[in-house]
Amino acid sequence: AQRVTQPEKLLSVFKGAPVELKCNYSYSGSPELFWYVQYSRQRLQLLLRHISRESIKGFTADLNKGETSFHLKKPFAQEEDSAMYYCALSGHNQGGKLIFGQGTELSVKP
Amino acid sequence: GAVVSQHPSRVICKSGTSVKIECRSLDFQATTMFWYRQFPKQSLMLMATSNEGSKATYEQGVEKDKFLINHASLTLSTLTVTSAHPEDSSFYICSARVGQAAREAFFGQGTRLTVV
């Protein structure tokens, strides 16, 4: 079964602290993994995807196939990073549909 | 980036009536669009895949007669919630991909449906 699990519903850190949002997945094959972000009162938007291996707004995520994880990390959190973060999976030959995790609310305090 | 627009952004309807939500790709053609449902502070649940010119593919547990999807053109998909009930109240979001091979999905701003 395809599943994306984000164990933390809420993550609260102080500005400047490192942050790691956890994501584990279950998929029989080689999926594509994404992180989407939803800022307050805004639409969902792509943050990054594992294929690109890029850093966006200081965030990085590495796909660990052995641990079936795709954790999102940032060394120094900023207040503007406060948002809902969703990990998502897309399987091959599935027409591009996304399976989302439950989401983690990141709150960065001053 | 590509823009996906939903209309209306908010709608309140009486129980038993039907509501239509539109999803448009403004600057690109989308052969495939997706409809999601999101409960407050919860995940997006995929409801169906909308394919231009053909029937939508519904996820398990989603009533196709209740949530009618029409994708009549390459830039418009509609979701009609028929005979709405209070339990249908939710946030409905559509998304579209730019091209068949593209993996990135662009999302609409969502529609808040309240059934009273």
Side-chain angles (χ1 to χ4, degrees):
Chain A
Q2 302 169 41
R3 188 166 56 245
V4 177
T5 304
Q6 293 178 249
E8 303 134 333
K9 207 167 185 178
L10 171 66
L11 188 61
S12 185
V13 301
F14 286 103
K15 176 184 172 182
V19 64
E20 180 179 67
L21 286 78
K22 291 183 168 46
C23 172
N24 288 90
Y25 67 91
S26 174
Y27 183 76
S28 54
S30 296
E32 289 188 63
L33 275 298
F34 305 83
W35 275 99
Y36 279 84
V37 59
Q38 189 172 29
Y39 299 103
S40 180
R41 299 183 183 278
Q42 293 188 30
R43 69 186 67 197
L44 207 64
Q45 57 186 286
L46 178 68
L47 181 61
L48 51 80
R49 48 186 159 179
H50 90 269
I51 283 182
S52 302
R53 291 182 162 272
E54 57 198 343
S55 173
I56 302 293
K57 298 185 179 181
F59 286 98
T60 58
D62 291 318
L63 179 63
N64 186 322
K65 292 185 178 181
E67 296 182 357
T68 59
S69 68
F70 188 56
H71 303 327
L72 183 68
K73 300 177 185 178
K74 184 169 182 175
F76 308 104
Q78 303 298 316
E79 289 179 68
E80 55 265 30
D81 295 328
S82 296
M84 281 293 294
Y85 290 81
Y86 294 94
C87 183
L89 171 158
S90 179
H92 286 293
N93 300 320
Q94 291 195 337
K97 67 180 183 181
L98 292 167
I99 305 300
F100 285 88
Q102 303 91 318
T104 298
E105 181 180 357
L106 175 63
S107 174
V108 182
K109 299 179 179 179
Chain B
V3 179
V4 175
S5 178
Q6 276 183 249
H7 179 80
S9 56
R10 287 178 180 272
V11 58
I12 301 173
C13 71
K14 291 185 177 180
S15 188
T17 62
S18 295
V19 174
K20 181 186 283 187
I21 302 169
E22 293 185 349
C23 178
R24 292 182 185 274
S25 56
L26 296 187
D27 48 2
F28 66 100
Q29 294 183 332
T31 55
T32 305
M33 291 184 175
F34 304 92
W35 287 96
Y36 295 85
R37 183 172 178 175
Q38 184 182 31
F39 293 99
K41 300 274 187 176
Q42 293 190 32
S43 185
L44 282 77
M45 182 193 78
L46 179 65
M47 299 175 66
T49 302
S50 172
N51 304 296
E52 188 268 335
S54 65
K55 290 183 179 180
T57 304
Y58 290 82
E59 295 299 303
Q60 193 173 11
V62 178
E63 298 176 61
K64 62 181 180 181
D65 294 331
K66 178 154 189 71
F67 299 99
L68 299 179
I69 291 173
N70 184 278
H71 194 154
S73 79
L74 287 170
T75 59
L76 174 64
S77 175
T78 60
L79 168 68
T80 301
V81 183
T82 63
S83 187
H85 288 96
E87 57 264 31
D88 298 325
S89 298
S90 191
F91 196 56
Y92 293 88
I93 305 173
C94 72
S95 77
R97 294 182 303 145
V98 182
Q100 290 285 8
R103 290 298 189 195
E104 180 177 356
F106 294 92
F107 287 81
Q109 70 272 42
T111 297
R112 171 75 59 195
L113 170 63
T114 303
V115 184
V116 297

